[in-house]
């Protein structure tokens, strides 16, 4: 039985995976969806610690998946616990080498926009659902109340990697049309890339495609084990 640890991206909580989890569990998998803190004091390292705790609690090699910003989180967590991770999966996710962070990888226009949006407490209000590519009225209505402010500090922090994560297989699902060069970032860290035609919040819009992607990874992991 494969266990998937599913980490949400910025402005999202565990509910980001609500449409994917039932599909994985129906296929016989187990799922864990860590809840990342969203206080003004929260930094990237705090999110990494939350995921590391989840890996320790599972106690067996997992498929560790991160959406968007959480690509940075899961790579650092995997670097901390390489024996607990059989495969890293990025879903339209950010990735980079040691010392990379959201603001070192993202275009300057994105960085300036996020800095300008942050409030005096260091929280960045959630964008509208359309910013994540969710234009369907019903999906937007579902997503809007589930979005929450995100700590600016997690964007300004950078990763600390020893290189252990680079010895773990990785695969990246990237969405087309591209909003950011997620495929190129993944290829630079040595990951195989898989395209899907869908919006950035693909877990909401196309949960079946995301579940199939993850289950395919688990089959490869089991064959390699």
């Amino acid at each position: 039985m494969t266990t998937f640890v599913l980490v949400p991206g910025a402005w999202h909580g565990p509910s980001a995976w609500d449409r994917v989890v039932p599909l994985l569990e129906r296929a016989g998998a187990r799922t864990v969806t860590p809840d990342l803190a969203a206080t003004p004091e929260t930094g990237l390292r705090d999110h990494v610690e939350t995921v590391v705790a989840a890996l320790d609690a599972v106690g067996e090699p997992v498929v560790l998946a991160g959406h968007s910003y959480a690509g940075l989180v899961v790579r650092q967590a995997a670097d901390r616990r390489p024996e607990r991770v059989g495969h890293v999966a990025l879903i339209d996710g950010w990735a980079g080498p040691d010392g990379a962070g959201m603001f070192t990888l993202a275009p300057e226009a994105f960085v300036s926009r996020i800095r300008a949006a942050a409030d005096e407490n260091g929280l960045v209000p959630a964008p509208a659902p359309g910013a994540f590519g969710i234009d369907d009225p019903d999906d937007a209505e579902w997503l809007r109340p589930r979005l929450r402010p995100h700590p600016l500090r997690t964007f300004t922090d950078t990763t600390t990697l020893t290189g252990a994560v680079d010895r773990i297989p990785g695969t990246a699902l990237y969405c087309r049309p591209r909003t950011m060069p997620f495929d190129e970032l993944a290829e630079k860290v040595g990951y195989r890339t898989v395209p899907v035609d869908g919006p950035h919040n693909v877990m909401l819009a196309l949960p079946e495609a995301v579940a199939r992607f993850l289950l395919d990874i688990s089959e490869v992991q089991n064959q390699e084990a």
Side-chain angles (χ1 to χ4, degrees), residues 10-61:
W11 298 292
H12 291 69
S15 63
W17 303 98
D18 277 3
R19 296 186 181 181
V20 176
V21 163
L23 301 175
L24 297 177
E25 294 183 346
R26 196 176 304 152
R30 294 193 299 172
T31 60
V32 178
T33 53
D35 191 4
L36 304 183
T39 68
E41 299 79 18
T42 302
L44 174 62
R45 182 175 177 179
D46 298 301
H47 287 168
V48 171
E49 292 293 343
T50 297
V51 176
V52 167
L55 296 176
D56 288 343
V58 173
E60 64 185 32

Side-chain angles (χ1 to χ4, degrees), residues 6-191:
L6 309 171
V7 186
W11 298 292
H12 291 69
S15 63
W17 303 98
D18 277 3
R19 296 186 181 181
V20 176
V21 163
L23 301 175
L24 297 177
E25 294 183 346
R26 196 176 304 152
R30 294 193 299 172
T31 60
V32 178
T33 53
D35 191 4
L36 304 183
T39 68
E41 299 79 18
T42 302
L44 174 62
R45 182 175 177 179
D46 298 301
H47 287 168
V48 171
E49 292 293 343
T50 297
V51 176
V52 167
L55 296 176
D56 288 343
V58 173
E60 64 185 32
V62 306
V63 174
L64 178 57
H67 174 239
S68 196
Y69 151 77
L72 298 169
V73 178
V74 299
R75 276 182 45 83
Q76 185 164 327
D79 194 80
R80 289 271 307 279
R81 293 290 191 274
E83 72 282 3
R84 305 280 194 191
V85 180
H87 207 106
V88 174
L90 304 182
I91 298 178
D92 232 22
W94 296 93
D98 177 48
M102 277 282 289
F103 281 3
T104 71
L105 296 170
E108 184 55 40
F110 175 89
V111 175
S112 298
R113 187 165 66 249
I114 295 299
R115 287 190 184 279
D119 65 21
E120 65 277 7
N121 295 316
L123 291 173
V124 183
F132 304 100
I134 300 302
D135 299 321
D136 178 85
D138 292 336
D139 285 348
E141 186 67 20
W142 184 93
L143 179 60
R144 189 174 291 106
R146 291 170 171 81
L147 296 173
R148 59 194 188 185
H150 190 82
L152 177 65
R153 183 179 163 194
T154 65
F155 293 155
T156 60
D157 285 351
T158 56
T159 54
T160 302
L161 304 176
T162 67
V165 66
D166 296 321
R167 295 188 287 274
I168 301 171
T171 307
L173 185 74
Y174 70 96
C175 299
R176 301 183 303 194
R178 300 190 315 173
T179 55
M180 295 288 176
F182 293 120
D183 55 332
E184 296 175 13
L185 295 174
E187 288 168 356
K188 285 180 181 178
V189 298
Y191 290 175

